[in-house]
Amino acid sequence: MAFTRTLSITGAIALAASLAACGSSSSGGGSSAGSGGGGKYGNCKITSKANSIKIKPAVKDTLTVETTLPAQGWWNGTTADSIKDGYEYCMAAELANMAGLKHLKIKAVSFDQLVAGHTASFDIALAEISITPERAKVVDFSKPYFDSNIGVLTKKGAGITADNIKSKRCAAYSGTTSVEFLKTKLKCKSQKVYPDSQTLYQGVLSGQTDVALLDTAIVLAEAKQTGNKLEVPGQFKTGEKYGAIYPKGSANEKALDKGITTLLNDGTLKTLSKDYLGPAFGGDPSSVPVWTVK
């Protein structure tokens, strides 16, 4: 995902809230709703008004959504077929319902390919993707729906601080905005770029690297997944925001943006944050100390 998140929902998420995920390409995942929307998609509690927006989907009666996995809290499950809820999954479900579509199809793709505009046959991509000028040259972004910072993931008790982090072995993973942050701003003495999120996390667990940099929300979730073998002692404020990606030149952009605006304004995304992000992260991202690059 795009990574570097700031932790509060654009427009209104007061909870606790990233980007990052990766994954090899694999399709799958499908939930069905009743005819005309208003039905059930996975475990999501649909509250939006059916048929309130109109789109022309890539597949008839289906909202096809690309993402990168794993991304607990955002997409609860390890494969496209196993996911039935999560913040972005249920956000997509609400949009499918608003568009009056019966089905929701999830496609797991490579993050690098996604942000480079090299994927096709989808309606919207939701993968904690930070909006950047460079990416906006090759893909079309939605309006922002989440704010994010870059979190610092370390072994528990490692003693990493804002004062000593530059002297440590720091790493990020390919395709994320954390790579540029590491190379051009933080400038740790030792730098490494891993191919995906799982090898990045394993690098910290195995002692190959001291610090993993990625969206705060995402690394909080990972720390919890490891049984607190890892921790997030700090985060760097970046002002980045998450946005969905549309196929270049999509005729559905205006309608889907309208849907996202509605979900922001009516509190739906705030509720999804409380239901899925807080429990998944094991902590409020806003409570993580904000560090300044020394």
Side-chain angles (χ1 to χ4, degrees):
M1 309 134 163
F3 319 123
T4 299
R5 307 131 192 228
T6 277
L7 319 162
S8 58
I9 284 268
T10 295
I13 286 191
L15 164 192
S18 197
L19 350 148
C22 52
S24 51
S25 297
S26 69
S27 298
S31 297
S32 299
S35 179
K40 183 177 178 63
Y41 303 82
N43 300 324
C44 303
K45 300 174 183 177
I46 301 300
T47 60
S48 58
K49 181 181 179 180
N51 300 300
S52 55
I53 62 174
K54 186 176 182 179
I55 71 170
K56 294 182 179 179
V59 177
K60 184 179 179 180
D61 292 333
T62 301
L63 185 70
T64 303
V65 186
E66 292 189 338
T67 191
T68 56
L69 301 173
Q72 287 300 113
W74 306 94
W75 301 87
N76 291 330
T78 56
T79 65
D81 288 325
S82 68
I83 295 169
K84 298 299 179 184
D85 57 30
Y87 180 102
E88 287 179 332
Y89 178 92
C90 290
M91 177 181 173
E94 294 284 6
L95 292 172
N97 180 68
M98 295 168 84
L101 302 176
K102 298 178 182 178
H103 309 289
L104 181 61
K105 179 180 177 62
I106 310 304
K107 295 173 64 178
V109 301
S110 158
F111 188 79
D112 281 349
Q113 294 294 306
L114 176 58
V115 296
H118 293 163
T119 62
S121 300
F122 70 100
D123 300 307
I124 188 172
L126 294 166
E128 308 91 75
I129 308 164
S130 295
I131 299 170
T132 69
E134 295 74 19
R135 290 173 179 169
K137 292 177 182 178
V138 294
V139 299
D140 290 341
F141 279 104
S142 73
K143 69 169 297 171
Y145 63 88
F146 195 85
D147 295 334
S148 104
N149 282 332
I150 286 183
V152 177
L153 183 69
T154 71
K155 277 189 176 180
K156 192 173 184 65
I160 308 296
T161 67
D163 293 324
N164 66 24
I165 189 171
K166 282 193 172 184
S167 66
K168 306 300 180 179
R169 296 170 298 168
C170 302
Y173 94 72
S174 180
T176 70
T177 53
S178 299
V179 174
E180 181 179 1
F181 178 80
L182 171 60
K183 292 183 175 180
T184 65
K185 295 184 179 179
L186 188 56
K187 300 178 181 178
C188 292
K189 184 176 181 180
S190 173
Q191 303 176 16
K192 185 170 183 177
V193 177
Y194 286 89
D196 54 50
S197 60
Q198 291 307 293
T199 53
L200 174 66
Y201 302 147
Q202 189 56 42
V204 180
L205 284 167
S206 65
Q208 294 177 0
T209 190
D210 302 311
V211 172
L213 299 168
L214 203 57
D215 308 42
T216 306
I218 293 174
V219 291
L220 278 173
E222 183 61 24
K224 181 181 179 181
Q225 285 288 100
T226 64
N228 295 316
K229 292 179 182 178
L230 302 178
E231 64 178 353
V232 184
Q235 61 179 321
F236 292 100
K237 188 173 183 178
T238 63
E240 292 190 29
K241 299 177 183 295
Y242 289 171
I245 282 179
Y246 302 128
K248 198 69 175 175
S250 172
N252 298 324
E253 181 173 340
K254 185 176 181 180
L256 289 171
D257 264 2
K258 177 183 176 182
I260 292 172
T261 298
T262 298
L263 297 176
L264 281 166
N265 293 342
D266 68 9
T268 298
L269 295 186
K270 181 178 180 179
T271 298
L272 292 180
S273 179
K274 291 178 180 178
D275 289 348
Y276 296 111
L277 301 187
F281 298 162
D284 183 346
S286 66
S287 69
V288 177
V290 176
W291 293 354
T292 300
V293 176
K294 304 288 186 178

